Amino acid sequence: MAFTQRHLLGLEGVPAEEINAILDTAASFKEISDRDIKKVPALRGKTVINLFYEPSTRTRTSFEIAAKRLSADTVNISTSSSSTTKGETLADTARNLEAMRPDTIVVRHPSSGACHLLARHVSCPIINAGDGCHEHPTQALLDLLTIREHRGDVAGLTVAIVGDLLHSRVGRSNLHALRTLGANVRLVGPPTLLPVEFRALGAELHTSLASGVRDADVIMMLRIQRERQGANFFPSVDEYSQYFCLNEQAVRLAKPNVIIMHPGPLNRGLEISSEVADGPYSVIMDQVTNGLAVRMALLYLLIVRSKAEGPGEAAEVESAAEPKRRLGGARA
Ligand code: CP
């Protein structure tokens, strides 16, 4: 199975076989983190730059650990330590970083499209770690791996994505990827946070939590993005939680083997109750664990591909089976 992406800027338009190639590779990498010595030499001598212009706990840490588990060197740059505070443009920052010959740049930025802009200015692979309200592809990939582990084939499952769909890059990436893999997607939230354009992407829209989660196989809760809400999209936090907070009563409407997901960070009591977040159907910590494997897979696939690619060549990188065979006993 081939992986042909040059960057990972989003999941819109990425074919099912490429998504499955990433997930298969991630699944094969999971056991490395269970070893006594959690390191393989796959990316020895490579450099990964994490360029984060927004706060992050899970994504930034897991990219750093993922690179280290593959023996790559990592450099972390945040807003406060970057020369953009002195007026440098994002493109100039990226060009200067590229002049130091990194093998990939992982970018989180508050502006939608920032990663696409950088991909036009540098030749090394860019990985989108969340750009504004646009996409967060690695989050959706780790969500898919988690769904696959708990429920098998994604095709035919009913997935309810609940919350601030208007501002959620997690929701958008999941919508694209879940539809590509054949899931039925319900988007659930107040009308002000539920763009009708998503119907054209094959989603059902629900303004009632009960109808949205009824008989669902997967309920994916989204964080209320208060930092991106320039206006009042609901009258009050209390009113939002009264209608859309996932509690045990709402969970009982879903399939008996439903799984409950949340990308984090959680707003407990606002979009999800603690009983549900910490309850028997929650797979939230599995999502975090899978985030590491997915990011290892992407770093491996993108860096190996970019090194394999000569001028004018359309190199393809093998996924799951081959790295597993090659890395099986290898330890750094
Ligand atoms: N899910 C997610 O992106 O979390 P962080 O903001 O902590 O990276």
Side-chain angles (χ1 to χ4, degrees):
M1 200 182 296
F3 179 80
T4 64
Q5 305 295 311
R6 170 143 179 59
H7 306 279
L8 187 75
L9 304 178
L11 292 178
E12 183 176 10
V14 177
E17 46 285 11
E18 302 244 349
I19 293 174
N20 284 323
I22 300 166
L23 300 183
D24 291 343
T25 306
S28 77
F29 277 167
K30 275 192 81 167
E31 62 86 19
I32 294 169
S33 295
D34 295 327
R35 294 182 187 178
D36 186 26
I37 296 171
K38 302 173 177 60
K39 219 176 194 22
V40 294
L43 296 182
R44 187 156 54 198
K46 309 296 184 204
T47 304
V48 175
I49 295 183
N50 289 319
L51 183 57
F52 274 60
Y53 289 97
E54 272 189 352
S56 167
T57 299
R58 284 145 286 265
T59 312
R60 202 203 59 74
T61 310
S62 61
F63 264 115
E64 182 171 0
I65 296 175
K68 287 183 164 146
R69 297 247 156 116
L70 296 174
S71 301
D73 299 313
T74 57
V75 179
N76 296 311
I77 302 174
S78 62
T79 320
S80 57
S81 62
S82 142
S83 284
T84 49
T85 56
K86 300 177 194 163
E88 186 172 69
T89 66
L90 179 63
D92 278 337
T93 298
R95 274 197 213 100
N96 279 272
L97 293 175
E98 199 194 26
M100 297 177 223
R101 306 285 181 263
D103 294 282
T104 192
I105 305 178
V106 180
V107 183
R108 171 169 287 192
H109 200 278
S111 300
S112 303
C115 299
H116 284 78
L117 174 80
L118 291 190
R120 291 203 299 272
H121 287 275
V122 300
S123 58
C124 71
I126 296 287
I127 301 179
N128 181 354
D131 64 329
C133 302
H134 174 231
E135 284 220 36
H136 191 348
T138 62
Q139 176 67 45
L141 289 165
L142 72 88
D143 293 339
L144 291 169
L145 183 61
T146 308
I147 294 172
R148 220 172 72 157
E149 282 180 354
H150 284 273
R151 300 302 304 268
D153 197 355
V154 173
L157 294 178
T158 296
V159 181
I161 308 179
V162 183
D164 184 356
L165 274 308
L166 180 63
H167 300 97
S168 178
R169 53 201 182 198
V170 175
R172 216 168 292 255
S173 283
N174 266 294
L175 173 58
H176 289 304
L178 285 164
R179 291 297 298 144
T180 300
L181 295 187
N184 306 308
V185 180
R186 296 178 186 164
L187 303 180
V188 188
T192 49
L193 294 176
L194 206 52
V196 290
E197 298 80 14
F198 285 153
R199 265 207 199 99
L201 299 175
E204 275 178 35
L205 304 191
H206 291 255
T207 53
S208 144
L209 180 62
S211 81
V213 303
R214 196 176 301 281
D215 298 321
D217 296 285
V218 177
I219 304 175
M220 187 181 290
M221 300 307 295
L222 299 176
R223 184 173 67 83
I224 288 293
Q225 311 257 311
R226 280 186 276 196
E227 75 276 23
R228 293 189 219 289
Q229 292 181 2
N232 291 328
F233 289 90
F234 43 82
S236 71
V237 162
D238 284 349
E239 188 148 335
Y240 181 86
S241 67
Q242 185 185 333
Y243 289 103
F244 291 101
C245 182
L246 190 71
N247 55 27
E248 289 174 309
Q249 192 187 344
V251 171
R252 280 195 284 275
L253 298 171
K255 293 243 177 88
N257 57 348
V258 68
I259 57 169
I260 310 294
M261 309 179 77
H262 193 300
L266 302 177
N267 288 309
R268 289 175 183 265
L270 173 50
E271 69 251 354
I272 190 165
S273 72
S274 282
E275 292 72 27
V276 172
D278 305 326
Y281 304 105
S282 171
V283 296
I284 294 171
M285 289 305 126
D286 294 349
Q287 291 173 263
V288 179
T289 301
N290 284 335
L292 181 55
V294 158
R295 286 160 184 141
M296 286 170 76
L298 278 167
L299 290 173
Y300 174 80
L301 291 170
L302 284 167
I303 291 175
V304 171
R305 173 186 155 72
S306 80
K307 296 301 164 198
E309 193 176 46
E313 284 177 50
E316 292 185 347
V317 173
E318 79 286 352
S319 68
E322 182 59 17
K324 189 171 188 178
R325 183 179 63 72
R326 194 184 311 146
L327 300 176
R331 284 159 211 270

